[in-house]
Amino acid sequence: MDLVLIRILFVLILAAVCYFFHILNFPGWLSAVTGTGIAALVIIFEMRVRALSLRRLIGAVLGSILGIFGAFLFSLVLANSLPAGNTRSLLQIFVLLLMSYVGLVVGTSKGDMLNLSALGDLFNGERQTRRNVKLLDTSAIIDGRIADMADTGFLDGSLVIPEFVLRELQMVADSSDGSKRQRGRRGLDVLQRMQSNSLLNVQIVEDDFPHIREVDLKLIELAKELDAKIVTNDFNLNKVAHLHHVSVLNINDLANSLKPVVLPGEKMNIAILKEGKEYNQGVGYLDDGTMVVVDHARRMIGRSVEISVTSVLQTASGKMIFGKMEEPLQKTESVRIATEIRELSN
């Protein structure tokens, strides 16, 4: 709020100065409008500079200084080569703007190559702040578990949601598909819940990369720029981010690590919900969605049975448990089937 008030005061002061001094001999009202526009441009520039990392900011400053120095050398050459006049002045101004612009752009883009650790502990503060930045992608927001994790205090630092992620979430919420629309609205509700938590530092940033179309690649580029970690449960994004050497916090990996370990030989109760792919198999699911495949359980669909775990298969998409029904149950089922056959025959 203090920063907003300072910006408003800056705009009013600059507009008033231009109004009283009649900039470029404009009328008073036009001078005030011109001053307001200049102040708006300065504020936009200030906001963009604040979003830069310290390495990029230092790179931009060094690049600008080198560009201005190079323009000064060119101006000396032009001064000795061309007669005084409008042409020489125009060329000198053009060279100054060109070299300054090139130095600024190149210095900013190459600023990430600077090694600030060589300067000792002078820039440790920013490095520690950057390490606590976490970017949320659309899948993590829609999933909803991120809000529960944040409520428990396991996620510290700043939770950042880029504007392009919000746009993708809004497109999902406005989808004509009912299932997608429900997921998108759930994600918006999760964001609202997180923003209402006073203990969380949730930020929405407008940083974008117009030359990149894919949202996942934009997220990776922003993570590089902010030196942040990506919070997701998207398997493909996880792999691509690792290829770009970007740290990822995968919610599914965390959930899998917190699951109770199931060992072969243990017993559990499972509801058989459908038929399996192989002959005479039944399939059920644990509360967390883990698939349980039970041999000789096809006829038990719709009923709960006690099984003994035979093996556990961990795949990239999740965990699968294989088991078999206990012998007493199998015998009871065999007796029941035999009884039904006898009754039908009679």
Side-chain angles (χ1 to χ4, degrees), residues 217-234:
L217 295 181
K218 289 185 177 184
L219 202 63
I220 291 173
E221 288 299 320
L222 184 58
K224 290 180 180 179
E225 183 175 310
L226 299 180
D227 194 17
K229 297 180 180 179
I230 298 177
V231 181
T232 182
N233 60 4
D234 189 327

Side-chain angles (χ1 to χ4, degrees), residues 65-343:
I65 294 174
L66 292 177
I68 293 173
F69 180 72
F72 172 73
L73 297 180
F74 270 106
S75 298
L76 293 179
V77 174
L78 292 175
N80 295 325
S81 302
L82 298 176
N86 293 333
T87 301
R88 190 178 74 179
S89 300
L90 181 61
L91 287 176
Q92 288 177 335
I93 293 175
F94 174 75
V95 169
L96 175 62
L97 294 176
L98 176 64
M99 297 297 293
S100 300
Y101 172 75
V102 172
L104 177 66
V105 174
V106 174
T108 304
S109 61
K110 301 299 182 181
D112 289 333
M113 300 176 63
L114 295 175
N115 184 15
L116 298 183
S117 61
L119 300 178
D121 297 333
L122 182 61
F123 299 105
N124 277 347
E126 169 163 314
R127 188 162 61 248
Q128 293 172 359
T129 302
R130 293 299 186 187
R131 286 176 180 170
N132 284 330
V133 175
K134 297 175 180 63
L135 296 177
L136 306 185
D137 84 324
T138 309
S139 63
I141 297 173
I142 292 177
D143 182 83
R145 290 178 291 180
I146 185 68
D148 298 327
M149 293 169 55
D151 289 340
T152 58
F154 280 99
L155 285 179
D156 59 346
S158 300
L159 303 179
V160 176
I161 300 98
E163 190 71 33
F164 54 82
V165 170
L166 279 183
R167 287 197 298 268
E168 184 184 42
L169 187 61
Q170 185 176 1
M171 290 177 59
V172 176
D174 294 336
S175 174
S176 57
D177 188 301
S179 176
K180 288 185 178 180
R181 185 168 59 250
Q182 183 178 2
R183 293 171 63 234
R185 292 177 178 176
R186 178 188 180 188
L188 294 176
D189 292 338
V190 169
L191 280 183
Q192 186 176 7
R193 171 186 167 188
M194 295 173 64
Q195 283 187 319
S196 62
N197 190 339
S198 59
L199 300 179
L200 298 179
N201 181 18
V202 180
Q203 301 177 8
I204 298 177
V205 297
E206 299 179 357
D207 299 58
D208 201 350
F209 303 89
H211 60 284
I212 301 177
R213 298 183 59 183
E214 294 81 2
V215 174
D216 289 352
L217 295 181
K218 289 185 177 184
L219 202 63
I220 291 173
E221 288 299 320
L222 184 58
K224 290 180 180 179
E225 183 175 310
L226 299 180
D227 194 17
K229 297 180 180 179
I230 298 177
V231 181
T232 182
N233 60 4
D234 189 327
F235 178 78
N236 293 327
L237 175 58
N238 192 358
K239 290 296 183 182
V240 175
H242 281 303
L243 292 176
H244 286 269
H245 305 288
V246 174
S247 299
V248 177
L249 300 177
N250 193 303
I251 298 177
N252 286 334
D253 290 343
L254 177 62
N256 289 331
S257 65
L258 295 177
K259 288 180 182 177
V261 179
V262 180
L263 300 177
E266 293 187 4
K267 294 180 175 57
M268 65 171 62
N269 289 316
I270 189 71
I272 306 300
L273 301 180
K274 63 180 183 179
E275 181 181 351
K277 291 184 179 180
E278 302 296 333
Y279 174 74
N280 209 19
Q281 280 185 344
V283 175
Y285 295 91
L286 298 181
D287 294 337
D288 58 10
T290 302
M291 178 184 291
V292 182
V293 181
V294 183
D295 292 333
H296 308 294
R298 180 186 178 194
R299 295 183 178 275
M300 303 298 290
I301 295 177
R303 303 171 63 180
S304 295
V305 297
E306 184 178 6
I307 68 169
S308 177
V309 177
T310 56
S311 62
V312 179
L313 177 63
Q314 180 69 53
T315 65
S317 58
K319 182 185 295 184
M320 293 181 61
I321 299 176
F322 295 88
K324 62 179 181 179
M325 291 192 300
E326 292 296 291
E327 287 298 326
L329 288 176
Q330 295 184 24
K331 292 180 179 179
T332 301
E333 181 65 14
S334 300
V335 172
R336 185 183 66 81
I337 294 174
T339 303
E340 290 179 355
I341 292 175
R342 285 197 299 269
E343 290 177 353

